[in-house]
Amino acid sequence: MDLGESARISQEKKGRLTIHDLAAAAGVSISTASKALNGTGRMGAETRERVQRVAREIGFRPNALAKGLLSKRSFTIGLLTNDTYGRFTLPLMAGVAEALVDHGVSVFLCAIEDDPALGQVHVEAMLDKQVDGIIATGKRVDRSLPIDLSNLPVPVVYAFTEGTRGSVTFRSDDGHGARLASEWLIAQGRRRLVHITGPESFFSVCERAEAFRAVAGGQAPVVYGDWSEGWGYQAVARLWDEAAEKGQEAPDAIFCGNDQIARGVVDALRERGLKVPTDVSIVGFDNWEIVAAQMRPPLTTVDMELRELGRQAGLTVLALAEGRVVEPGVRTLPCRLVVRES
Amino acid sequence: MDLGESARISQEKKGRLTIHDLAAAAGVSISTASKALNGTGRMGAETRERVQRVAREIGFRPNALAKGLLSKRSFTIGLLTNDTYGRFTLPLMAGVAEALVDHGVSVFLCAIEDDPALGQVHVEAMLDKQVDGIIATGKRVDRSLPIDLSNLPVPVVYAFTEGTRGSVTFRSDDGHGARLASEWLIAQGRRRLVHITGPESFFSVCERAEAFRAVAGGQAPVVYGDWSEGWGYQAVARLWDEAAEKGQEAPDAIFCGNDQIARGVVDALRERGLKVPTDVSIVGFDNWEIVAAQMRPPLTTVDMELRELGRQAGLTVLALAEGRVVEPGVRTLPCRLVVRES
DNA sequence: ATGCACTGAGAAAAGCTTTTCCCTCCGTCA
DNA sequence: TGACGGAGGGAAAAGCTTTTCTCAGTGCAT
């Protein structure tokens, strides 16, 4: 096999190594080399091992473009999002990547910022690159992306955004999250629960409010505002003033629609001289770690398990790409209560 | 040309359209079709237009895999990061994508979470997919990713992370940012400036502290801690207690090392009954909008222009991929002061 | 009428891998 | 000894596009 020698020299030529180089270096034909690497075809065990060893030695890695051209699988998927700040997209993306990296699939991330034209450009770029599938995600479960993905030549999975009829959609079970939060507050011995949350126009807001009332009682107050810290702050003022006016007892537990609202709530309580959690227990929503874990006291909050959501979306789009059939419909995933000190 | 008719029927076959379909539909050969689309070769204007029109009509888009196989350009780059929460990566990524989308380049995002093995896997996956280049980024300017990118067969550009010798590296000019902040505080008539910042082991921390002292005076206090809100809160307590002890006047301006510290600082001041900005002016760092803009009052802070950093990194890696020469070295970009109400 | 230059367009190769089909060689059985 | 089957390995096509040649035809000048 002194073909090996000459090959080792010619390997010094320019460019990346091809399977030709490998074949020459191992002293076999291209087809044998290919089959040896992929564990297909018939050949002597010794030959197969030699090819594999040589491949490792010279550092040969097959060109995924050529592979994709033939197999019509690019081992690439697109993740489309309009969540500019990535608070929801990043954990989700981490889950997607985690699920797919073992399968050799890489992820194109495209942030399209609610711009249909930009979305169109990105989708076309992804299709040109023959993505095996697309995962659409956003910042709101009851809104869809500003672009129609329903007639694409590749499978589409929706995660944390509204999907089209007949599509596969993943989202968190916000009712479950709200139930966890409310029940935990009750379990802490709290009886006067209130829910400070975002705009009533959000589907999740209604879903959570409903679950909250189911646990806390139909009369438990729910106040709607926006998603900001400022609103949380104001809401406390309003609730406490009202209670004082009517001569009622103030709340002893607040379930907040997100961690930012909780942030404002905690601030307002502190300013009124109330201790968290001694006087009032607080539960947030989102488990936005960088905020929730750093609050004083660290915030007990509901985690939507976006990473797991991403994992499942990733596996599903892969399954669809491989032609396996997947039952369409909305799948909801349970939330998890992260108990800290509030 | 009733070839067109029959082609329009056969177009109904399975799979994506190829240039063969286009050629048939337009009644020309494949080569002519290709040249018509790319504006190359010689042919009658009428022919060229007809091909282009038919291409639009049937919705033909060339297969980027086949194109890439031939041209050895995949129009794809990889963005490698270990910034899990994406606070720095996302704005940067947005800039990269913005710069490259016009050139038809898509971006693989790979979050490697400080895991060398995972990093290796992702880099190899990207190389297999023939990325035209890689941008490495992180969460800290003076640390490098847990993986060696110096001998890759594709160009690498570093942005907001430490690069290797001879590489092209982009980072923000933190000294400039600190100068902007300090000078603005002085311009507000403040005289007793302090700087509450992160760990002294960070290069940026030293750079900023130095610039701060150059403006505020060599005796202006700089206190080092960690990057948390809690530290900002404590630091205020410490500074005010010290001042009271020594019978000195307390600071009237605080330049914070990041927006989270500023958050803690503002809280602590409020608890001490001090008004921002009436009694004390505050400037943060990072312009982490979702926090800075929502604070009460909204925070004046330094923006590192990460989006612009990303844009430049994107254009640079593209230039390198196209074989243009780029002077190696570290390029720093100016910061921008975002004046809000603190 | 012949040759030349140029225009318009097609044939074929290249780029890298996988897969199908085929060939050769060897051993075995009748 | 001849036929047959199986094992090991190679040749070639396919997948889609771009690019380089090559070729046929036309108009013009000689």
Side-chain angles (χ1 to χ4, degrees):
Chain A
M1 304 286 151
D2 39 23
L3 273 174
E5 194 54 36
S6 67
R8 203 153 297 138
I9 290 159
S10 77
Q11 164 200 337
E12 304 290 339
K13 73 182 192 316
K14 51 157 119 224
R16 317 245 251 244
L17 297 102
T18 76
I19 201 167
H20 283 92
D21 302 319
L22 171 60
V28 295
S29 73
I30 332 180
S31 17
T32 304
S34 172
K35 285 181 286 196
L37 288 182
N38 295 302
T40 59
R42 287 176 328 204
M43 77 193 59
E46 190 271 338
T47 309
R48 195 179 293 274
E49 277 161 24
R50 175 162 43 90
V51 173
Q52 292 177 346
R53 179 168 44 72
V54 172
R56 270 195 307 278
E57 281 171 15
I58 67 174
F60 167 77
R61 314 218 69 210
N63 182 329
L65 260 44
K67 218 171 190 162
L69 188 55
L70 201 53
S71 66
K72 308 202 169 241
R73 288 276 324 268
S74 64
F75 291 91
T76 282
I77 71 150
L79 185 61
L80 213 55
T81 179
N82 66 348
D83 170 26
T84 318
Y85 244 100
R87 223 163 90 220
F88 303 120
T89 296
L90 268 152
L92 202 130
M93 158 98 198
V96 172
E98 181 186 305
L100 298 184
V101 72
D102 309 329
H103 300 267
V105 175
S106 306
V107 182
F108 285 124
L109 180 58
C110 301
I112 61 170
E113 333 222 352
D114 284 315
D115 176 346
L118 187 59
Q120 194 64 39
V121 169
H122 272 126
V123 168
E124 282 175 1
M126 296 190 321
L127 291 178
D128 288 353
K129 279 155 193 149
Q130 312 290 117
V131 290
D132 296 333
I134 291 180
I135 298 178
T137 180
K139 51 194 168 194
R140 188 167 163 182
V141 155
D142 55 348
R143 282 283 183 276
S144 43
L145 294 186
I147 176 173
D148 180 24
L149 302 172
S150 57
N151 284 311
L152 263 36
V154 299
V156 177
V157 168
Y158 298 84
F160 208 73
T161 191
E162 173 110 326
T164 53
R165 292 189 61 78
S167 65
V168 183
T169 305
F170 288 92
R171 60 182 208 79
S172 51
D173 184 345
D174 286 42
H176 174 249
R179 216 148 41 237
L180 284 180
S182 315
E183 283 167 356
W184 183 80
L185 288 169
I186 300 275
Q188 303 305 301
R190 305 301 178 172
R191 289 298 171 266
R192 299 185 304 284
L193 275 60
V194 305
H195 182 30
I196 303 177
T197 185
E200 208 167 351
S201 59
F202 279 59
F203 177 74
S204 326
V205 165
C206 300
E207 200 177 9
R208 293 178 199 167
E210 203 170 312
F212 167 76
R213 282 222 171 95
V215 174
Q219 287 76 351
V222 176
V223 288
Y224 303 96
D226 60 30
W227 291 117
S228 73
E229 201 173 316
W231 157 239
Y233 187 87
Q234 286 167 35
V236 166
R238 186 194 299 176
L239 286 166
W240 258 255
D241 290 352
E242 255 177 37
E245 231 168 72
K246 301 189 190 166
Q248 298 170 340
E249 277 189 295
D252 60 1
I254 304 178
F255 169 38
C256 302
N258 75 1
D259 291 348
Q260 283 171 89
I261 291 177
R263 188 65 167 82
V265 165
V266 170
D267 271 14
L269 293 176
R270 190 185 305 128
E271 281 186 25
R272 302 182 94 86
L274 294 165
K275 296 272 180 247
V276 174
T278 320
D279 302 316
V280 185
S281 289
I282 310 289
V283 178
F285 210 102
D286 285 356
N287 191 25
W288 188 19
E289 296 227 11
I290 206 163
V291 167
Q294 279 215 3
M295 277 173 53
R296 282 156 302 115
L299 183 69
T300 295
T301 184
V302 176
D303 190 308
M304 290 185 285
E305 300 277 31
L306 290 174
R307 194 179 178 111
E308 176 61 20
L309 208 68
R311 261 180 41 80
Q312 300 216 14
L315 292 175
T316 305
V317 80
L318 190 64
L320 287 167
E322 287 169 355
R324 300 205 292 275
V325 298
V326 174
E327 189 74 18
V330 178
R331 292 174 179 40
T332 58
L333 265 67
C335 295
R336 177 173 54 100
L337 185 71
V338 180
V339 177
R340 294 203 180 88
E341 302 165 29
S342 69
Chain B
M1 302 287 150
D2 39 23
L3 273 173
E5 194 53 34
S6 68
R8 202 153 299 137
I9 290 159
S10 79
Q11 164 201 335
E12 303 292 336
K13 72 184 193 312
K14 51 158 119 227
R16 316 246 251 244
L17 298 104
T18 75
I19 202 167
H20 283 90
D21 302 318
L22 171 60
V28 296
S29 73
I30 323 182
S31 16
T32 304
S34 172
K35 285 181 287 194
L37 288 182
N38 296 302
T40 58
R42 288 178 324 206
M43 77 194 60
E46 190 271 337
T47 308
R48 195 180 293 274
E49 277 161 26
R50 175 162 43 93
V51 173
Q52 292 177 345
R53 178 169 44 72
V54 173
R56 270 196 307 279
E57 280 172 16
I58 67 175
F60 167 77
R61 313 217 69 208
N63 181 330
L65 262 43
K67 216 170 193 165
L69 188 55
L70 201 53
S71 66
K72 306 199 171 245
R73 288 277 321 271
S74 64
F75 291 92
T76 282
I77 71 150
L79 185 62
L80 213 56
T81 179
N82 66 348
D83 169 26
T84 317
Y85 243 101
R87 225 164 86 220
F88 302 122
T89 296
L90 268 154
L92 201 130
M93 157 99 199
V96 171
E98 181 185 304
L100 298 184
V101 73
D102 309 328
H103 301 267
V105 175
S106 306
V107 182
F108 285 124
L109 180 58
C110 302
I112 62 170
E113 334 222 354
D114 284 317
D115 176 346
L118 187 59
Q120 193 65 38
V121 169
H122 271 126
V123 168
E124 282 175 1
M126 295 190 322
L127 291 178
D128 288 353
K129 279 156 192 147
Q130 313 291 115
V131 290
D132 296 334
I134 292 179
I135 298 179
T137 179
K139 51 194 167 193
R140 190 169 161 181
V141 155
D142 55 348
R143 281 284 183 276
S144 44
L145 294 185
I147 176 171
D148 180 23
L149 301 172
S150 56
N151 284 311
L152 262 37
V154 298
V156 177
V157 168
Y158 297 83
F160 207 74
T161 191
E162 172 111 326
T164 52
R165 292 187 60 78
S167 65
V168 183
T169 305
F170 288 91
R171 60 184 207 78
S172 51
D173 185 345
D174 286 42
H176 174 249
R179 216 148 41 237
L180 284 179
S182 316
E183 284 167 356
W184 182 80
L185 288 169
I186 300 273
Q188 303 305 302
R190 304 302 178 170
R191 288 298 170 268
R192 298 184 306 282
L193 276 59
V194 305
H195 183 29
I196 303 177
T197 184
E200 208 167 350
S201 59
F202 278 58
F203 177 74
S204 328
V205 165
C206 300
E207 200 177 10
R208 295 178 199 168
E210 204 170 311
F212 167 75
R213 282 223 171 94
V215 174
Q219 288 77 350
V222 175
V223 287
Y224 303 96
D226 60 31
W227 291 118
S228 74
E229 199 173 317
W231 157 239
Y233 187 86
Q234 287 166 37
V236 166
R238 188 195 298 178
L239 286 165
W240 258 255
D241 289 352
E242 255 178 34
E245 229 169 73
K246 299 191 189 163
Q248 296 170 341
E249 277 188 294
D252 61 1
I254 304 180
F255 169 37
C256 303
N258 75 2
D259 291 348
Q260 283 171 91
I261 291 177
R263 188 65 169 80
V265 165
V266 169
D267 271 14
L269 292 176
R270 188 183 309 128
E271 281 186 26
R272 302 182 94 86
L274 294 167
K275 295 272 181 248
V276 175
T278 321
D279 302 316
V280 186
S281 289
I282 309 289
V283 178
F285 209 102
D286 285 356
N287 191 25
W288 188 20
E289 297 227 11
I290 205 161
V291 167
Q294 280 216 1
M295 278 173 54
R296 282 156 302 115
L299 184 69
T300 295
T301 184
V302 176
D303 190 307
M304 289 186 286
E305 300 276 30
L306 291 175
R307 194 178 177 111
E308 175 61 21
L309 208 69
R311 261 180 41 79
Q312 300 217 13
L315 292 175
T316 305
V317 80
L318 190 63
L320 287 166
E322 287 170 353
R324 300 205 291 276
V325 297
V326 174
E327 189 74 17
V330 177
R331 292 173 180 41
T332 59
L333 264 67
C335 294
R336 176 172 56 99
L337 186 71
V338 179
V339 177
R340 295 202 181 88
E341 303 165 28
S342 70

